[in-house]
Amino acid sequence: MSRTKITLMIVSLALWGCVAQPSQNSGPKKPAVNLDAVLPPQSLLHDDTNTALTHDRGESRLAYVGVWATDGDKCAMMDQTAFEGFAVITPDSIRRSAETCTFEPGEPGSTSVRLDATCKARGNTSTQRTITLQMLSSRSLYLSATSATPAATMVRCRLLQ
């Protein structure tokens, strides 16, 4: 073999070692911060949303109080745009896309409550409605109301810490 061919082979091997080889699991990279179910900044949220977020559930033992959405991605839209599939629940009210309801707080410590609520849709008179809330875990809730809105499983929205 000639000296030129040997030199080219050595240079090729040296360069090949410098080039990064693709890794075996080159799937999508996960962000350093988990943005699933994260709300907009607290300063952009409505008063009832902030009340739900700052409520001390440990003291009241009302596990259902919080901000909920049918999908974690919807949390980012909370109080920023109109959309279906959310519930802002305070100890004595619930706001959803079509209506706001008031009620007496449920039984402390209970994982499932039925609330007799007085609800008002935009511009309409008030109606009576039964709302059922069942905690599936600390981060998920089943919400059912006797109305045109179907029952839904929801995830708890949170502020970015």
Side-chain angles (χ1 to χ4, degrees):
M1 230 183 236
S2 74
R3 188 176 273 173
T4 306
K5 285 184 182 181
I6 293 174
T7 305
L8 287 175
M9 285 175 44
I10 292 172
V11 169
S12 296
L13 287 173
L15 288 175
W16 184 80
C18 294
V19 176
Q21 300 297 317
S23 65
Q24 295 295 348
N25 48 357
S26 59
K29 293 184 179 181
K30 293 184 179 180
V33 176
N34 179 5
L35 297 177
D36 188 41
V38 172
L39 292 162
Q42 198 166 6
S43 62
L44 299 176
L45 300 173
H46 294 170
D47 289 342
D48 65 335
T49 306
N50 281 312
T51 297
L53 288 170
T54 58
H55 178 78
D56 185 354
R57 293 186 312 272
E59 184 178 320
S60 72
R61 297 182 28 210
L62 298 173
Y64 59 80
V65 173
V67 181
W68 304 89
T70 53
D71 183 302
D73 292 339
K74 291 183 177 181
C75 294
M77 299 187 306
M78 193 67 63
D79 296 345
Q80 306 308 300
T81 187
F83 69 97
E84 296 288 324
F86 77 90
V88 175
I89 307 174
T90 67
D92 60 0
S93 71
I94 179 171
R95 175 173 50 97
R96 296 184 297 161
S97 58
E99 65 186 2
T100 300
C101 304
T102 56
F103 50 81
E104 291 296 318
E107 182 69 29
S110 180
T111 59
S112 182
V113 295
R114 291 175 54 95
L115 305 167
D116 294 321
T118 302
C119 301
K120 288 187 179 183
R122 291 181 205 116
N124 292 340
T125 58
S126 61
T127 58
Q128 294 302 118
R129 192 171 319 292
T130 300
I131 299 172
T132 303
L133 303 171
Q134 181 178 359
M135 296 301 299
L136 303 174
S137 73
S138 63
R139 292 191 173 142
S140 65
L141 166 93
Y142 176 79
L143 184 145
S144 174
T146 53
S147 71
T149 306
T153 299
M154 303 182 132
V155 296
R156 189 182 296 274
C157 299
R158 61 183 176 81
L159 290 170
L160 185 61
Q161 300 295 350

